Amino acid sequence: MTQHELQEEYERAQLEPIPNNWAFEADSLFDDSPEPEHTAIGKPNHRFDTNLARSHQEEAPSSRLRETGINQKSQHSGFAAWLRSQAPTDQLSLSIEFLMYWMAFGDERYDPDLKRRIFQTPNLSKHDTIKRWVLKEDVHAFADVIEWMQKNTTSKQKEQIVRLLMAMLINGERPTPLQNTLLRFLSDVFYLENPTLEAIFKHDFGLNLPAMPRVDRLAWWRRQPPGSISLWNAQAINAGDEFTRHAAQLGLNSNARIEHIEAAYEKAIARCNPDRFDHLNEREHQLIASRRSRLSQSRDELMEALA
Amino acid sequence: MRNYFDILNTDRFSEDTEKLNRISEVESSLEEDYFVDLKTVLSDREQHMHYKRMHLQYDAISAVLARGTPQKDSNSWSKRVVEFPPAQNKLPD
């Protein structure tokens, strides 16, 4: 799923009113912040900022931070406080949205223009505010989300959040290295034991979850099946033709045949069964319904192309 | 995971060419296998891209662990992030 598609699905699922001057509004909510000038966006990553300043002048953090009012000395991300300021009924969905963007954007599944737009727009919707934290690569916001979910979700919800991330973001049968690593981490901080992550993956994908990725090792790269690596490159897939993009939705490459398409579609659609998310909110149900619709569209387009 | 960017005294936001230029500088200080992995992964555009993405995730995991967040440690996270100390994510005063 591309960033555009993910955004469309969020917008279909819930259109929030866009707050004016969100930074000021959020700023006043930072009652746990030791410094009154803190803003909602919180602490930038040290390495991110110092080096972007050198290498990407158009997004230089110093100017960007001035423009957005971000305080570089903030010791907290601010996401936790921002989340607490939202309606209690929205907090779970907003946390899930953060994780979904974290996982998707981590694999660079977003429009290259999104970053510029998000950092240059002063008044952001809730969804764009979350994207901003994610695009800033604010690891402390990520930690805030994990902490919030640990304290505020049930075991069943945690399991279903993991299933939702899998159903929404994994195309085909091989998670990207990032997806594999994050899912393993989530399963540990969520204490998934019955079923375990491995059992969920085996059930939902029909295969064993690949071993912990070691992208720092040449030996690991040599073990990867031919063809799988190209399916991890969302930017390249987006730049491809329509058939390639639809095939990628189902985890297939451009050589896909009819029998592959049907089999991949059946598995993917089964992962999107709404009964699997009965402890989540209506918003997540709308997301998963939208994913089902997109999968069906890709199946139909591929079948028509091959007919 | 190995923190190659730290070894190169750079970080994931530096230009790839800058990282590549520094590789030869660290060769003599690393074991051969380690150096081969570092050089191969960072020299391959696709592998470098995935390494950089994973680098962020390890920084994020490290930030979670630094809070003492309870977790099952079935994947030995504390050992995996040993080269990603959370102090790297902090800002100077």
Side-chain angles (χ1 to χ4, degrees):
Chain A
M1 176 177 294
T2 65
Q3 184 274 330
H4 273 315
E5 293 160 358
L6 195 60
Q7 183 172 354
E8 281 171 21
E9 291 185 6
Y10 264 113
E11 286 170 357
R12 272 197 292 272
Q14 182 180 358
L15 279 170
E16 292 285 350
I18 298 174
N20 291 321
N21 300 319
W22 62 270
F24 281 110
E25 290 175 17
D27 182 54
S28 66
L29 298 167
F30 275 35
D31 54 359
D32 64 340
S33 168
E35 295 176 352
E37 66 269 31
H38 281 187
T39 67
I41 205 75
K43 173 182 172 296
N45 181 291
H46 169 47
R47 299 188 144 218
F48 173 72
D49 289 295
T50 53
N51 291 285
L52 261 185
R54 288 206 305 265
S55 59
H56 299 290
Q57 289 302 316
E58 75 282 8
E59 284 186 4
S62 55
S63 60
R64 204 179 66 221
L65 295 176
R66 276 198 301 276
E67 170 191 316
T68 56
I70 297 168
N71 178 359
Q72 293 190 59
K73 290 189 177 179
S74 169
Q75 295 297 310
H76 302 281
S77 96
F79 188 84
W82 179 83
L83 187 62
R84 282 197 301 275
S85 75
Q86 306 303 311
T89 49
D90 288 348
Q91 290 177 8
L92 174 61
S93 292
L94 293 170
S95 301
I96 291 172
E97 181 172 343
F98 181 100
L99 274 191
M100 205 164 288
Y101 282 131
W102 186 270
M103 193 175 272
F105 290 4
D107 273 327
E108 295 184 41
R109 291 163 74 164
Y110 59 85
D111 188 321
D113 287 338
L114 178 72
K115 218 170 193 174
R116 187 179 304 277
R117 181 178 70 78
I118 289 286
F119 286 119
Q120 288 180 347
T121 305
N123 300 325
L124 297 171
S125 68
K126 288 180 183 179
H127 309 296
D128 283 349
T129 300
I130 292 173
K131 286 177 204 161
R132 187 176 201 163
W133 257 297
V134 172
L135 289 170
K136 245 168 48 70
E137 303 188 358
D138 189 330
V139 298
H140 300 284
F142 175 80
D144 285 345
V145 169
I146 298 300
E147 206 165 33
W148 187 91
M149 286 185 164
Q150 270 200 331
K151 292 176 181 168
N152 296 286
T153 58
T154 65
S155 300
K156 201 67 187 171
Q157 284 174 325
K158 290 182 177 79
E159 178 199 323
Q160 295 191 356
I161 289 167
V162 168
R163 285 186 188 276
L164 183 72
L165 291 168
M166 287 180 172
M168 293 293 294
L169 296 177
I170 297 179
N171 293 332
E173 297 166 339
R174 290 193 68 82
T176 67
L178 182 149
Q179 290 169 342
N180 188 341
T181 303
L182 272 184
L183 288 168
R184 286 175 178 277
F185 184 66
L186 291 177
S187 80
D188 278 352
V189 291
F190 287 174
Y191 285 89
L192 291 194
E193 287 180 321
N194 187 27
T196 62
L197 176 68
E198 287 78 6
I200 293 172
F201 191 90
K202 177 84 175 173
H203 178 269
D204 289 2
F205 291 82
L207 294 171
N208 291 327
L209 178 66
M212 176 72 84
R214 289 302 306 261
V215 296
D216 55 335
R217 302 288 180 96
L218 177 58
W220 182 85
W221 283 103
R222 286 181 172 156
R223 287 198 299 271
Q224 300 316 298
S228 69
I229 297 171
S230 61
L231 286 173
W232 296 337
N233 191 340
Q235 304 274 357
I237 289 168
N238 270 346
D241 59 28
E242 202 171 351
F243 188 92
T244 302
R245 290 198 297 274
H246 284 301
Q249 283 280 345
L250 299 173
L252 302 170
N253 58 33
S254 52
N255 299 322
R257 312 307 315 161
I258 287 178
E259 58 272 24
H260 301 142
I261 294 163
E262 278 299 348
Y265 172 75
E266 291 301 328
K267 279 187 186 174
I269 212 76
R271 293 195 286 271
C272 298
N273 185 330
D275 294 345
R276 294 173 173 226
F277 309 104
D278 58 344
H279 287 247
L280 300 183
N281 295 334
E282 176 59 22
R283 189 168 173 214
E284 285 74 61
H285 280 260
Q286 290 174 10
L287 281 175
I288 209 72
S290 182
R291 172 74 165 153
R292 285 171 65 90
S293 168
R294 198 170 290 279
L295 289 167
S296 298
Q297 183 192 352
S298 288
R299 191 269 312 263
D300 293 346
E301 295 280 351
L302 293 171
M303 296 301 257
E304 192 177 318
L306 291 176
Chain B
M1 190 171 87
R2 295 165 175 173
N3 193 337
Y4 292 150
F5 298 156
D6 214 35
I7 294 285
L8 296 175
N9 198 23
T10 178
D11 53 58
R12 64 176 172 271
F13 302 103
S14 300
E15 294 288 352
D16 290 354
T17 49
E18 182 185 333
K19 295 170 196 157
L20 294 176
N21 289 339
R22 292 192 181 195
I23 288 177
S24 59
E25 296 172 14
V26 300
E27 181 170 9
S28 60
S29 63
L30 300 174
E31 290 180 8
E32 187 180 349
D33 289 350
Y34 192 109
F35 178 74
V36 168
D37 278 347
L38 179 153
K39 185 177 181 180
T40 310
V41 168
L42 296 188
S43 301
D44 181 283
R45 193 175 170 187
E46 194 135 35
Q47 292 178 17
H48 190 147
M49 177 179 72
H50 284 288
Y51 178 81
K52 193 154 56 174
R53 293 173 181 178
M54 195 66 82
H55 193 278
L56 166 63
Q57 302 312 313
Y58 273 73
D59 268 347
I61 290 167
S62 176
V64 174
L65 299 186
R67 295 186 182 192
T69 305
Q71 41 141 337
K72 278 197 308 176
D73 204 15
S74 59
N75 288 284
S76 304
W77 295 109
S78 50
K79 290 179 184 170
R80 290 183 187 278
V81 301
V82 74
E83 294 188 30
F84 294 79
Q88 289 186 353
N89 301 318
K90 289 180 181 166
L91 290 171
D93 290 330

